[in-house]
Amino acid sequence: MAQAWRCAGLSWTAGGPVLIWDGGRRSALTWGKTVAFGVAEGGARTCVGARGNMCPFAARVSARSTGPRCEECARLDRAHSVAADTLADDPRPYRVYLAWFGPGMTKVGITAERRGPARLLEQGAICFSWLGTGPLMAARRTEELLRAALRVPDRIPYAAKRAARAALPSAGEERAAEIAGLHARALGLTGWPESLEPAPFRPVDHVEAFGLAEAPAPVGVVGELAPGGAVSGELVAAAGPDLHLATDRGVLVLDTRLLPGWELVPGGGRRVEVPVRALKERPTAQDGLF
């Protein structure tokens, strides 16, 4: 029987996307590389646990979920975190940013300064600019100010981000135009925390980093994995958690958040033997805060 591996997710480094495996092994992903694996026969997707601890219930997790934890472990994993607003005493500096994912889709967010642009790569931001740097609570207040004053959301559904990537403006200036206007309006607002140092508008474009400039548009999305299934294809692009793979069924998007919790075995070829759904059409405009 082939050795089985458990994937811990996708990470972005200065050199590009990297798959991380339980035990610390890493697989760097480069354009043209074959990504191939099968799902062990007779298995099931189980909770990956929380904060380095195994799930005490070995709970089953939905194959379609992008979250690999059961409800209890998800709650424990989010405890004492910036995202859950339970880490208000973190003394490290944080940055506020504006991120653009496609026409009409801009969000505001915060990330630890030490992480650099990693958070933006992980989210699949096509273009972004820093707004300012300061203590965590000052960054959080600035985020809330922009949400209220400029009606900029702090989250965008991932399916909308994915659909927008299929028809991006070809020029970098066009991709940066929306955040340029919002950045100028944001710096003109009153009520900025004094401890947050504003940053000038300096757009960073990720189209080349994601490999989207030359890659064919995807035709479908892997909907879920299943025991005995297989995914194999040539990597042509990647954005956020998504890998764009050239397969025998055309270019398909594999959301790597579907991998954790499964036992995976080596695969080959360019075949896809798991459920695939059509790629949603690109939205024409952002129609609400979320």
Side-chain angles (χ1 to χ4, degrees):
M1 181 181 293
Q3 180 179 2
W5 297 86
R6 283 185 171 268
C7 182
L10 184 75
S11 177
W12 279 86
T13 69
V18 175
L19 278 175
I20 303 174
W21 306 90
D22 284 2
R25 179 171 173 260
R26 292 172 170 251
S27 300
L29 301 176
T30 54
W31 312 142
K33 183 172 184 174
T34 297
V35 175
F37 62 86
V39 184
E41 295 274 4
R45 192 184 189 194
T46 56
C47 174
V48 299
R51 299 188 172 276
N53 299 305
M54 295 179 61
C55 175
F57 312 107
R60 297 286 182 93
V61 178
S62 169
R64 296 182 180 182
S65 174
T66 55
R69 296 178 174 86
C70 66
E71 289 185 10
E72 180 64 17
C73 287
R75 182 184 66 80
L76 292 172
D77 191 65
R78 284 178 61 83
H80 199 59
S81 72
V82 171
D85 280 334
T86 57
L87 197 60
D89 59 346
D90 188 341
R92 296 170 295 184
Y94 279 77
R95 282 174 161 174
V96 187
Y97 61 80
L98 284 169
W100 184 85
F101 299 90
M105 286 189 285
T106 299
K107 63 158 283 187
V108 61
I110 68 173
T111 185
E113 183 182 45
R114 62 183 175 81
R115 297 204 66 208
R119 179 67 177 149
L120 286 305
L121 291 163
E122 291 167 356
Q123 293 185 60
I126 300 300
C127 183
F128 82 94
S129 179
W130 302 120
L131 263 174
T133 304
L136 173 58
M137 295 314 295
R140 185 65 83 194
R141 286 196 298 273
T142 305
E143 181 184 43
E144 291 297 325
L145 174 65
L146 266 65
R147 287 182 59 194
L150 302 183
R151 297 185 61 82
V152 182
D154 64 353
R155 68 189 71 177
I156 292 174
Y158 201 82
K161 300 180 189 178
R162 182 180 291 138
R165 290 201 297 263
L168 295 172
S170 58
E173 294 79 4
E174 292 182 68
R175 296 192 291 268
E178 286 185 42
I179 57 173
L182 282 169
H183 191 284
R185 291 172 62 195
L187 292 185
L189 293 173
T190 59
W192 272 61
E194 292 183 1
S195 56
L196 193 93
E197 181 181 355
F201 178 67
R202 290 176 182 164
V204 178
D205 193 280
H206 286 153
V207 164
E208 291 296 331
F210 290 156
L212 296 172
E214 305 298 331
V219 298
V221 181
V222 172
E224 61 184 282
L225 302 185
V231 175
S232 183
E234 178 184 309
L235 183 68
V236 296
D242 287 349
L243 302 182
H244 293 211
L245 304 176
T247 74
D248 60 352
R249 300 168 68 170
V251 175
L252 299 179
V253 175
L254 170 65
D255 187 335
T256 55
R257 296 175 297 179
L258 297 175
L259 303 184
W262 290 103
E263 287 196 339
L264 305 178
V265 296
R270 291 165 65 98
R271 64 195 179 99
V272 174
E273 297 175 352
V274 292
V276 172
R277 64 176 186 270
L279 188 71
K280 289 186 178 180
E281 292 186 4
R282 174 182 173 273
T284 56
Q286 183 171 309
D287 57 4
L289 287 180
F290 306 105

